[in-house]
Structure formats: C-alpha cells, structure tokens
Amino acid sequence: LTRLCAAAGFDPSVAFRSNNYDVVRELVAAGLGVAVVPALGHTPAPGVAATRLGARSACRRVQVLHRRENSNPLLGRMVRALRSAVPEGEAFVHPVGGGVG
C-alpha cells in the first residue's frame, strides 16, 4: 500500500488495519476511508464502490508448492479450487512445472 501510494505521489494515513475483509468493507461503508483489498476478498455491498487498481505492481502472488511424491488425495482438488477462483481469461495464472492438474 505504501509503495502504491508513493507512486501516486502521496503518503497514506492508515487509521485502521484488519485481516478481516468484512470489517474492512464495513469501515469503508461507514465512510471512514478507503481500502485496498484483493479482488477475491471483495464482496459487493451497498455504500461501497469498487474499482481495479491500474498499476501493474498492484498484485498479490499466491503460489502452491508441493512434492511430486505427495500422495494426499486432496492436493489435486485444492490446486484446482485455487485455479478456479481466478476469473476466466485473467493473465496471471501461470502453472510452473508438471504439478497437479
């Protein structure tokens, strides 16, 4: 957040912090400020307007690493669930190596 704001020419004044996106959304809806949350963390709500950040550096990386020998039967389902959470056509899904399909 600090780097994004600095690139836009200002320093943010952070009054609240929370890892709970519902709390963040309610603070915004109450008119207490603005927030930057990942697209997957956003839930539309009355009183909250959302827009994508245009900066290419405004991204978050989620990576899945596992051993090829991992025999956990849920591994493939988990990797597929993570991939399906990304909107179709988004260019930021990059499988590396053979992995689980």
Side-chain angles (χ1 to χ4, degrees), residues 46-98:
V48 177
T51 186
R52 281 186 177 259
L53 295 177
R56 182 75 176 137
S57 61
C59 69
R60 169 175 93 155
R61 295 183 188 270
V62 176
Q63 299 179 6
V64 177
L65 301 173
H66 61 86
R67 295 181 312 277
R68 289 186 190 273
E69 301 82 29
N70 190 329
S71 61
N72 186 324
L74 299 178
L75 177 63
R77 290 176 65 186
M78 181 62 188
V79 171
R80 285 188 295 279
L82 289 170
R83 285 184 179 154
S84 70
V86 176
E88 190 67 34
E90 291 289 347
F92 51 81
V93 175
H94 302 287
V96 177

